[in-house]
Amino acid sequence: MNRIWLVLGMCALAACRGGSAARQAPPRAAVAPAEADVKPQRNPTARWHVVDVQVETAVEEAQEVTSLATGALQTALTDAVRELPEVTAVGPAPAGLPVAQQVGVGLVVAWQRIDGDHGPRPVTDPASDGDLQLVVNVEVQQPQPHGPPATAKARFDGEVPLPAERLADFPVFLRDKLGQAAALAVTDALHQLWAGGLDDAELTTLLAEDATPVHQAAAAREVGERGLAAARERLEALSRAGRRDVAQVAVAALGRLGDARSVPVLVDALDSGHGEVIDAALQALADMPLPQARTALREAADRHIDPAVRKRAKMLLQPSP
């Protein structure tokens, strides 16, 4: 199946014009819907004023929903952002509001109806049950007093069941599901901005506290971005005992740290049984410029019990074009 892969290419947000991002990192997957009902516990800048929400769609002709007006989708996704516990309001910032509390949000959304074999199906096809693939790419920008804005990116890419009885009101179904996916991705991006404002000691401490999984994941990601070697053991603990979404981020962060002592932990993650964690572990091993990591990747390609793991490991062993 040709899956939807979008490049987030949007103009600068209305409140954040004037330059490239001060800190920018590759997007990561948002927390899975079944695991996302968490509230911030320790977050000094969790309450954001969203000055602008911009929405774009990127779908093939066969997936277009003519009855879903652009304005209705814009309203639905803006409402989804407004209802987040991290957001105080959406609209022009009141006079005197510090810029540190203001953000602009941009979303590029796509969808694709798929059948049981994961093949694409036109949205107008009256056939029976199937699935709906949703992709939401988010860019959040926070203006800075001096210099270009800080930027965080996140992505939701997942499938939801599409019962046959919902085809009659498919535009409403699609709008609601996109709103849920957008809320997850925007939450992720906002927590990335929050973690970027913490100092090294706060980040490391947060990994060991009884924090919410969303906060642990945001802190783990930032630790990896900064290369904080002192947090290695805590990341290893999260990769073993953390929730699936947290373990995924912790494993990726270990790959960025590039410490040979973490290679056995990444190898163990290949047997976690969770596809997202396994993919992150394989990629981490591939990214580490270490002979131990290369050996582990070869062993996975040759001997791992799961053929999908063997296939992915072999692909990662191929030289870059």
Side-chain angles (χ1 to χ4, degrees):
M1 164 187 175
N2 294 323
R3 295 182 66 82
I4 306 169
W5 294 106
L6 298 177
V7 177
L8 183 62
M10 59 183 69
C11 61
L13 302 179
C16 311
R17 301 183 188 276
S20 58
R23 58 180 301 275
Q24 203 170 53
R28 71 174 181 83
V31 178
E35 302 178 344
D37 189 9
V38 293
K39 297 292 189 296
Q41 293 178 345
R42 180 181 178 275
N43 192 337
T45 55
R47 306 293 287 178
W48 306 90
H49 185 105
V50 178
V51 297
D52 187 31
V53 178
Q54 295 186 6
V55 178
E56 297 180 19
T57 60
V59 294
E60 298 177 356
E61 183 177 355
Q63 302 297 320
E64 291 181 355
V65 182
T66 55
S67 58
L68 181 60
T70 302
L73 186 58
Q74 171 81 41
T75 299
L77 298 186
T78 300
D79 288 345
V81 172
R82 181 181 290 110
E83 293 171 3
L84 293 176
E86 293 82 6
V87 172
T88 56
V90 175
L97 183 70
V99 294
Q101 298 176 27
Q102 302 176 36
V103 294
V105 176
L107 303 111
V108 178
V109 302
W111 56 88
Q112 182 169 262
R113 188 177 169 196
I114 54 180
D115 59 25
D117 295 325
H118 295 275
R121 175 188 291 175
V123 294
T124 55
D125 188 338
S128 59
D129 298 0
D131 293 305
L132 185 67
Q133 183 190 359
L134 302 175
V135 176
V136 178
N137 281 320
V138 172
E139 181 176 306
V140 175
Q141 292 188 349
Q142 178 190 26
Q144 302 295 301
H146 306 287
T151 301
K153 295 182 180 181
R155 175 186 177 92
F156 177 94
D157 185 348
E159 297 173 6
V160 297
L162 176 56
E165 60 268 21
R166 296 307 304 269
L167 293 175
D169 62 343
F170 180 71
V172 175
F173 178 84
L174 174 62
R175 183 193 63 200
D176 293 346
K177 294 301 181 183
L178 282 173
Q180 295 171 18
L184 292 170
V186 172
T187 297
D188 185 23
L190 291 175
H191 283 87
Q192 289 179 37
L193 284 180
W194 159 73
L198 300 178
D199 61 35
D200 292 355
E202 288 176 313
L203 283 173
T204 304
T205 300
L206 191 62
L207 295 180
E209 289 181 350
D210 185 22
T212 65
V214 168
H215 286 84
Q216 284 186 325
R221 181 184 184 281
E222 185 66 21
V223 163
E225 291 295 322
R226 297 185 194 180
L228 301 182
R232 176 184 58 83
E233 292 184 356
R234 293 179 180 178
L235 288 174
E236 290 177 352
L238 286 177
S239 72
R240 293 188 181 102
R243 219 174 55 168
R244 176 170 80 243
D245 47 324
V246 179
Q248 177 188 357
V249 182
V251 163
L254 288 172
R256 295 188 185 100
L257 293 186
D259 193 311
R261 290 171 291 183
S262 296
V263 170
V265 178
L266 297 176
V267 171
D268 289 345
L270 299 180
D271 297 321
S272 67
H274 302 304
E276 303 94 333
V277 177
I278 293 171
D279 286 344
L282 287 169
Q283 189 63 58
L285 289 169
D287 291 342
M288 292 173 114
L290 299 171
Q292 299 95 323
R294 199 71 175 174
T295 298
L297 200 58
R298 288 195 189 97
E299 291 179 352
D302 294 337
R303 303 187 183 92
H304 199 278
I305 191 173
D306 188 338
V309 173
R310 295 198 300 269
K311 181 179 179 180
R312 178 61 176 156
K314 289 175 181 176
M315 290 176 59
L316 290 170
L317 286 168
Q318 298 298 317
S320 301

